[in-house]
Amino acid sequence: MLSIAPIPHLSAEQAAAWHAVIVAALATDLPDEPRPTPQQVHARLTAAGLDSRRLAWLATGPDGAVIGVAGLRLFTSAGQDHLAELELHVHPEHRRSGLGSRLLAAARLAAEAEHRRSLITSAADGGPGDAFCAARGFRRVLTLNHLLLDVARADDTAADAAHPGYELTSWAGTVPDELADAFATAKNAMNDMPTGDLDYGHQDWTADRVRAMAQVLADRGDTLLTTAALRGGEMAGYTEVVIRAGETRRAAQYDTAVVPAHRGHGLGLWLKAAMVRGLRARHPDVREIETDNAQDNTHMLAVNQRLGYRAHRRTHEYQFDLTSD
């Protein structure tokens, strides 16, 4: 008999079981992708996220083994407190038994009880999650192209380009105090990034909030690297890369943004080329960087192509419109 139960506080043993389900699912659905480590999964599930909280469910089989998991991230900041983000995995040996639908039903009821308007999730193109979402009333609202960069072969020559009046600076972890306000202002430039029909809302960044985001990553054991372009006392743009705890090969591109008043000067390419050069010098174990871009983000796709990124895979963002009282 299958059982689904909410888990108020995941134990280390339950987090390990969650990790085992994810690894089994990835082995079937995305066999060429790196597997998260147990430490990465435990940290993501138990460390407090920025302006959010989590709900979790475990599905067990007759023998008590965990065979499915579902997580719900509830955003709590103004501008995004209408959102709930779903993570759902079923062990490949137990699919097509209705277990995924039961986990989804539990998560959906919880999201409605939390007065959420939109339930969002992502699925790999052509995979079982893609078909699962489409069959259960989710709308495909955004397609993301995932790209990979071979760091050793990347074209970083744009890092040498002259940009009169601008200077580059870099840091690891939390932004230096003297740059925190300028960084928060630049962060708000991300609110105009292409999001298709995704009801993602907006984020309001302050100096305290950018510090809190860096602390979330530090609590997970991740390494946050930032390169920024300055002009006078203003931050014209920045790019971020994260090396996850325990990662030995692949880094993840986070935000890249140029403030509207400074666009059209090639700063995005300059920043990303400088980041690649610094990563190659100071983190030689990292061989590749993964990024994703919305299909209609033609400018950033062109920048990434110039650096040497190649097409890797695609994912789709799905949204379910909830009814809450």
Side-chain angles (χ1 to χ4, degrees):
M1 185 175 183
L2 302 180
S3 174
I4 295 175
I7 308 299
H9 303 287
L10 277 169
S11 66
E13 182 181 3
Q14 289 167 333
W18 191 297
H19 172 262
V21 171
I22 290 178
V23 167
L26 284 175
T28 297
D29 303 338
L30 295 169
D32 297 327
E33 289 302 288
R35 310 289 188 263
T37 66
Q39 293 79 8
Q40 287 170 356
V41 171
H42 184 271
R44 178 170 53 82
L45 293 172
T46 58
L50 180 65
D51 295 335
S52 65
R53 55 192 177 87
R54 291 185 180 275
L55 302 177
W57 294 263
L58 295 180
T60 54
D63 60 356
V66 175
I67 57 176
V69 299
L72 206 59
R73 182 185 179 195
L74 300 168
F75 294 79
T76 57
S77 63
Q80 289 191 305
D81 55 4
H82 64 287
L83 278 180
E85 185 176 35
L86 173 70
E87 175 187 4
L88 194 156
H89 305 278
V90 174
H91 194 287
E93 294 178 3
H94 299 275
R95 291 176 178 172
R96 307 190 70 83
S97 64
L99 182 57
S101 295
R102 290 176 60 188
L103 284 165
L104 172 60
R108 176 182 167 183
L109 284 174
E112 290 175 342
E114 293 283 347
H115 310 290
R116 302 300 154 139
R117 183 175 74 227
S118 297
L119 180 64
I120 60 175
T121 194
S122 61
D125 178 55
D130 208 5
F132 179 87
C133 289
R136 285 157 182 82
F138 283 79
R139 292 183 294 115
R140 184 184 289 182
V141 291
L142 181 66
T143 294
L144 297 173
N145 291 313
H146 291 247
L147 312 173
L148 275 183
L149 179 68
D150 183 329
V151 174
R153 298 183 179 181
D155 180 0
D156 64 359
T157 56
D160 298 319
H163 293 275
Y166 294 95
E167 61 175 325
L168 291 176
T169 187
S170 299
W171 66 87
T174 305
V175 60
D177 287 344
E178 66 272 18
L179 295 177
D181 288 327
F183 188 36
T185 299
K187 273 275 191 182
N188 284 309
M190 285 296 293
N191 281 319
D192 67 357
M193 68 178 179
T195 57
D197 295 323
L198 182 66
D199 183 18
Y200 196 67
H202 67 276
Q203 301 182 72
D204 293 320
W205 291 96
T206 64
D208 286 343
R209 194 164 188 262
V210 295
R211 293 187 185 103
M213 182 70 253
Q215 189 60 52
V216 166
L217 294 172
D219 289 344
R220 294 176 183 170
D222 297 345
T223 299
L224 170 63
L225 305 172
T226 307
T227 295
L230 306 177
R231 185 168 186 172
E234 186 177 0
M235 189 173 292
Y238 68 94
T239 188
E240 299 169 315
V241 164
V242 170
I243 305 171
R244 297 186 178 96
E247 186 59 66
T248 58
R249 181 179 180 88
R250 183 179 296 183
Q253 177 75 58
Y254 271 38
D255 292 350
T256 298
V258 175
V259 173
H262 298 276
R263 291 173 183 170
H265 302 293
L267 297 185
L269 178 61
W270 188 39
L271 286 162
K272 296 192 76 166
M275 172 65 81
V276 169
R277 183 171 291 181
L279 191 68
R280 185 187 291 146
R282 291 185 285 277
H283 298 274
D285 289 343
V286 174
R287 307 291 182 83
E288 57 192 17
I289 306 172
E290 181 176 5
T291 190
D292 60 71
N293 299 120
Q295 281 190 317
D296 56 351
N297 193 351
T298 55
H299 173 72
M300 192 55 66
L301 285 167
V303 166
N304 287 331
Q305 184 177 25
R306 168 75 182 276
L307 288 165
Y309 277 90
R310 58 179 174 81
H312 178 49
R313 61 188 181 94
R314 292 198 304 171
T315 59
H316 304 293
E317 297 293 314
Y318 280 93
Q319 181 172 308
F320 190 91
D321 299 322
L322 298 166
T323 302
S324 59
D325 53 27

